[in-house]
Amino acid sequence: GSGAAVECRGSSERSALITFCCGARWRIGAGPRGWEWAYNIAAPSQGGRRHEFLRHLDIIGAMDIPLMEPEPFVHIGPDHIDLVQAFCREKKLTRSKFIILHPGASVLSKAWPAIRYADIGKRFINRFHLPVLVSWGAAEESLAGEVVASIGRGAILGPRTTVGELSAFLALRGLCVCNYSGVMNIGMAVRTPLVALGCTSAEDWGPYGEIHRTVNSAGNRDSYSDADRRAMMDVINVHDVWKIVEERWSELYPVQDV
């Protein structure tokens, strides 16, 4: 074989087996315990809490590649920017003068309740007299519409977007409140300050970087059922989230603090 296979899952026996069977000359990974044989370059497995970005870099480091601080990236093309600029002109949205709420998640058990997102939106409008944009992904339009309807005046339903277009919206900065989801990863890539809500370990899976904040109810758990995740998301209350949103917006945009 030729080439290299870099396996970043770390805990997946299936991924380790696929790596072993793929025929690559170099097979690099950390793998689950007992599966070190699947690789001919085995990365050290770090114990304890460690962010997924850093665990991925541990694997790259096993190839003697110089490491730098993680910098997520997402492509934003001219067409993406054009769509966002046209939408903002139509809705009279100004850069850094609106907040984005993204209530969706890959599975419902990882999503904070829509009515609580709406409560945050209402408080933001009443406190800062600025609009709220509610964004959405595949199969999430009705959920976003529910949040917009509950907020009422001042809430704007975002358009259908691709990953690049959603990235362009988030790149307008402001602040984004979201679940631990793909949108959180996009926010990190475009350097948009986040308030991310999660039910899995913040140290492992939360937003990475000093500009972000998180509200997390996972405690020291390492495994979760759907019921566990739902219960933990329900524990997160509006008061705690709003306190962070209000403080963070005032820190980022003090001239808008009214």
Side-chain angles (χ1 to χ4, degrees):
S2 62
V6 182
E7 193 274 295
C8 293
R9 287 295 301 276
S11 60
S12 171
E13 296 175 356
R14 177 181 296 181
S15 294
L17 183 60
I18 291 172
T19 303
F20 178 75
C21 295
C22 73
R25 181 179 180 184
W26 303 111
R27 304 182 306 277
I28 306 101
R33 183 172 298 177
W35 283 75
E36 294 83 358
W37 55 267
Y39 314 101
N40 50 23
I41 299 179
S45 181
Q46 302 282 354
R49 298 296 186 197
R50 189 165 176 80
H51 198 277
E52 61 172 331
F53 286 0
L54 301 179
R55 291 189 185 276
H56 293 167
L57 286 180
D58 291 339
I59 294 169
I60 300 300
M63 295 184 283
D64 294 326
I65 296 175
L67 302 180
M68 297 181 292
E69 181 68 12
E71 292 187 4
F73 171 81
V74 63
H75 172 70
I76 301 175
D79 291 346
H80 306 150
I81 295 172
D82 289 345
L83 178 141
V84 169
Q85 288 179 341
F87 183 86
C88 288
R89 285 194 298 269
E90 177 188 348
K91 302 298 183 181
K92 297 181 172 55
L93 292 172
T94 304
R95 182 184 182 91
S96 297
K97 291 190 176 181
F98 63 94
I99 194 172
I100 294 177
L101 305 182
H102 192 99
S106 57
V107 293
L108 287 176
S109 60
K110 294 171 65 176
W112 203 42
I115 192 65
R116 299 186 191 179
Y117 270 102
D119 200 334
I120 295 297
K122 292 175 185 176
R123 294 183 188 215
F124 181 83
I125 292 167
N126 290 336
R127 172 71 174 83
F128 295 106
H129 307 292
L130 293 171
V132 171
L133 176 68
V134 182
S135 59
W136 50 280
E140 295 174 352
E141 185 175 8
S142 61
L143 174 66
E146 178 185 342
V147 174
V148 168
S150 296
I151 294 172
R153 186 174 182 180
I156 299 168
L157 180 66
R160 181 187 301 275
T161 55
T162 64
V163 170
E165 291 161 351
L166 180 56
S167 301
F169 270 113
L170 289 169
L172 294 175
R173 301 299 187 270
L175 184 71
C176 176
V177 184
C178 62
N179 306 301
Y180 283 16
S181 63
V183 172
M184 181 184 76
N185 294 325
I186 293 172
M188 288 188 284
V190 298
R191 314 296 188 269
T192 295
L194 301 168
V195 177
L197 316 178
C199 56
T200 54
S201 164
E203 293 88 350
D204 292 324
W205 305 104
Y208 186 88
E210 294 182 356
I211 67 171
H212 308 303
R213 304 291 182 268
T214 187
V215 182
N216 186 283
S217 59
N220 293 319
R221 294 176 182 235
D222 284 312
S223 61
Y224 323 87
S225 67
D226 272 353
D228 289 336
R229 287 196 294 257
R230 179 71 274 152
M232 287 186 285
M233 292 304 287
D234 287 343
V235 165
I236 298 174
N237 64 68
V238 170
H239 172 80
D240 291 343
V241 176
W242 171 245
K243 181 179 178 182
I244 293 175
V245 170
E246 182 182 31
E247 289 177 352
R248 192 67 180 124
W249 189 272
S250 297
E251 291 169 356
L252 291 165
Y253 312 107
V255 297
Q256 298 174 356
D257 187 12
V258 294

